[in-house]
Structures are given as C-alpha cells and as structure tokens.
Amino acid sequence: MKKDYEVVIIGGGPAGLSAGLYTSRARLSSLLIEKMGVGGQIADAERVDNYPGFPEGISGFELGQLMHQQATKYGLETLLAEVTGIELHEGQKEVKTTEGNFATKAVIIANGSERRKLGIPGEEKFTGKGVSYCATCDAPFFTEKPVAVVGGGDAAITEALYLTKFASKVTVIHRRDQLRASRILQEKAFSETKMEFLWNTVVEEIKGENVVQRIRLRQVKTGEESTLGISGIFISVGLKPNTDYLKGVLPLDAAGYIITNDRMETEIPAIFAAGDIRRNSARQAITAAGDGATAAIYARKFITE
Ligand SMILES: Cc1cc2nc3c(=O)[nH]c(=O)nc-3n(C[C@H](O)[C@H](O)[C@H](O)COP(=O)(O)OP(=O)(O)OC[C@H]3O[C@@H](n4cnc5c(N)ncnc54)[C@H](O)[C@@H]3O)c2cc1C
C-alpha cells in the first residue's frame, strides 16, 4: 500500500477539481487520481460561455487548467493513473489504481462519463480513420471536407458549430424531427449556412476503403435507405457513466449512474459521488463543480466529526 490520504478523489474534471480545491483548503491531505489529463470533458469544449465569472467566455481546456492550478496551490496532489477498484475495510477504504493502492478515510467519486457508441458496422473499424467522438480534437483533419454529426443535443450541436470552421459542409443527422439542444444553440445552428439537417434519420453503416468515405442512412418513418458521401463522422449521442469498476461496490441505477442524496453521500459511509457520474446530474461544468464542493464539505464533516 502506498501513502495514506484523508481524501482520495477519483477523476480530474470540474467535479473532482472543485472537490480537491475544497478538501485541500480544509487542510485535508488529498489525492486526485486522473487517468488522462486534468480538465475532464470540459477540456473538449472549444468555448464555454455559461461558466460564471468569464463574461467573454473561456476555452474549456484553459478552464480545466485554471481549476487544477487553483486546487494545487492549496496542496492538492495529483496522480496520473486509472482507478480500477475500491475495497471497503474497517474504518478505511482502499483505492486500487494502475500505479498502486491508496488507503483513505473518504473517497469522492467524480470520474464522469464517456461518449456512447452507435454500435453499428464500421464504427470500430474506422475509429481514428474518420470516426471521431471529439470535434475539438479532430476537426482540423477535415478542413474543406464534408462531415456528418450524429445527435441532436447540446454537445452534438456545439460540435457541429465548431466543425463549420473547418469542414466544407456539416450534415447533422438526428433520429427525431427536432433538436434537443438549447434554443440559443438551435438559433446559431439554423442560421449557419454550412449546416444541413437530416431529420428522422439514423446511420446504419459506416463504409470506406482505408478511411471513411460514405455512410448508409435509413429514414425511420419511411424506411427509405440512402447513402451520404463524407470524410468524417462525429458521434455525439449521449453519455455512459464510467462506473463499470464500481459494480458490486455501490448501488447504481439501471443506467449505471451512482445514486446519492443531496449531500452527495452514497449508501456507503465515507463514499461520495459528484458530477456527471451521479444520477440526475444536470451534466454541466458548473453543476459538476457545485457537486464537488458539496461532496468535499460533507467529506470534511465526516472525517472531522
Ligand atoms: C464537447 C463538449 C462541450 C461541452 N460544453 C459545455 C459547456 O459549454 N458548458 C457546460 O457547463 N458544460 C459543457 N459540457 C459538459 C461538461 O463538460 C460536463 O458536464 C463536465 O465536464 C462534467 O464534469 P465531471 O467532473 O463530472 O466529469 P468529467 O468532465 O467527465 O471528468 C471525469 C474525469 O475522470 C477521468 N476518469 C474516468 N474514469 C477514470 C478512472 N477509472 N480513473 C481515473 N480517472 C478517470 C476522466 O478522464 C475525466 O477526466 C460539454 C461537454 C462536451 C463533451
């Protein structure tokens, strides 16, 4: 077993970073474990216009870096590793990671969610060869090329709008007849000349030689099939909570989200959950950060009282 901590935080997105700020400012020895790089999903947002305090907006990457800088200033330690399990022992928890195991008095689980896959032929084969789940990461590869975006929520439309800066044309493919995205995003999308919409349509197959060249589509109301020639397809059809490693440890809801009360407590004493990984989360950076602060405050109460 490696060094002991009073609090171990799993995940370095807005929820984990805010939790780390609060626990380290409360002078609790705190370790944040992140498997990729701090910032979480918000680091993929080209511009964040709805995080209070930044009237001109801020890049998601910069927001994540600033949150980390602020928490580190108060003593938060960060480890780059993947958490693979939590074991419950009398009076303490053991957090298992790819870089060793850590004993702790309290755990704040804030390791968010990841993009859902379509599960269609060609998706896996062409991932990285025209199939992408992150426009901010991959948009420049499609400069002056036609691309499709699958989905109709905030994330999909944000990605589609970003892609219009690079691609020659962006076709949004949505299985319903209207978007779920916020009105402000819809207004931007409908006035963007490079964007087109295919309503009531699903992608059945992604095809190409070595890279994506076309997709096979089906109109869900008429059953009519068609083919669309594209160079890239960006899939943004919702999220899946990263809770596979928690099965059997904590009660999860049917979709795999962690159930908490309004203090972010789970059913297991000293295990808290915060952010997108929580059932009924609003899935925003600000709500994740709020959850992280709440979890940290009640973790401190648990430890000190
Ligand atoms: C393209 C895009 C644009 C968005 N734009 C906005 C916006 O404008 N405004 C807004 O408010 N929200 C926006 N969001 C949503 C926002 O990013 C999320 O709601 C927020 O990041 C959730 O924070 P979180 O800390 O709960 O989880 P996440 O941000 O998902 O962070 C979880 C972290 O945990 C890590 N992790 C996962 N599993 C493990 C493990 N086993 N071990 C260690 N680490 C692990 C991940 O690598 C990740 O860094 C956007 C999201 C996307 C994808």
Side-chain angles (χ1 to χ4, degrees), residues 10-17 33-51 81-84 110-115 136 155 158-159 239 242 245 274-277 281-288:
I10 306 172
L17 291 168
I33 306 170
E34 163 59 48
K35 70 171 179 181
M36 308 251 287
V38 291
Q41 290 175 71
I42 201 66
D44 289 347
E46 190 224 359
R47 189 135 213 93
V48 182
D49 285 324
N50 56 4
Y51 199 88
E82 179 170 355
V83 173
T84 52
N111 60 298
S113 43
E114 62 183 31
R115 319 283 174 91
T136 321
T158 305
E159 305 248 281
L239 299 164
N242 294 317
Y245 75 100
D276 279 19
I277 202 161
S281 154
R283 310 218 179 101
Q284 292 289 293
I286 182 67
T287 56

Side-chain angles (χ1 to χ4, degrees), residues 147-285:
V147 299
V149 172
V150 188
D154 280 349
I157 300 309
T158 305
E159 305 248 281
L161 285 165
Y162 182 62
L163 280 160
T164 60
K165 295 183 183 174
F166 299 87
S168 55
K169 185 167 127 187
V170 179
T171 306
V172 174
I173 300 166
H174 189 37
R175 64 191 165 131
R176 300 187 204 284
D177 59 5
Q178 55 184 348
L179 300 177
R180 270 185 299 107
S182 64
R183 284 194 186 159
I184 191 161
L185 282 176
Q186 294 199 27
E187 282 163 19
K188 281 187 188 166
F190 293 140
S191 62
E192 173 50 66
T193 51
K194 273 193 187 173
M195 262 162 87
E196 284 186 7
F197 297 85
L198 287 177
W199 304 109
N200 299 310
T201 302
V202 291
V203 184
E204 297 272 270
E205 190 177 359
I206 301 167
K207 291 177 150 185
E209 296 303 323
N210 296 318
V211 292
V212 170
Q213 289 171 320
R214 59 198 172 276
I215 48 180
R216 187 161 58 81
L217 305 170
R218 182 170 54 83
Q219 223 281 1
V220 288
K221 293 214 164 140
T222 61
E224 195 184 317
E225 294 212 347
S226 60
T227 300
L228 180 70
I230 46 154
S231 301
I233 174 167
F234 290 79
I235 298 166
S236 186
V237 290
L239 299 164
K240 174 184 167 298
N242 294 317
T243 49
D244 286 352
Y245 75 100
L246 292 169
K247 281 181 188 145
V249 180
L250 277 178
L252 306 173
D253 75 4
Y257 289 93
I258 301 176
I259 302 163
T260 66
N261 61 16
D262 53 13
R263 297 172 167 209
M264 308 301 140
E265 292 164 334
T266 67
E267 258 185 30
I268 299 180
I271 298 196
F272 301 80
D276 279 19
I277 202 161
R278 221 166 56 76
R279 184 172 69 172
N280 294 337
S281 154
R283 310 218 179 101
Q284 292 289 293

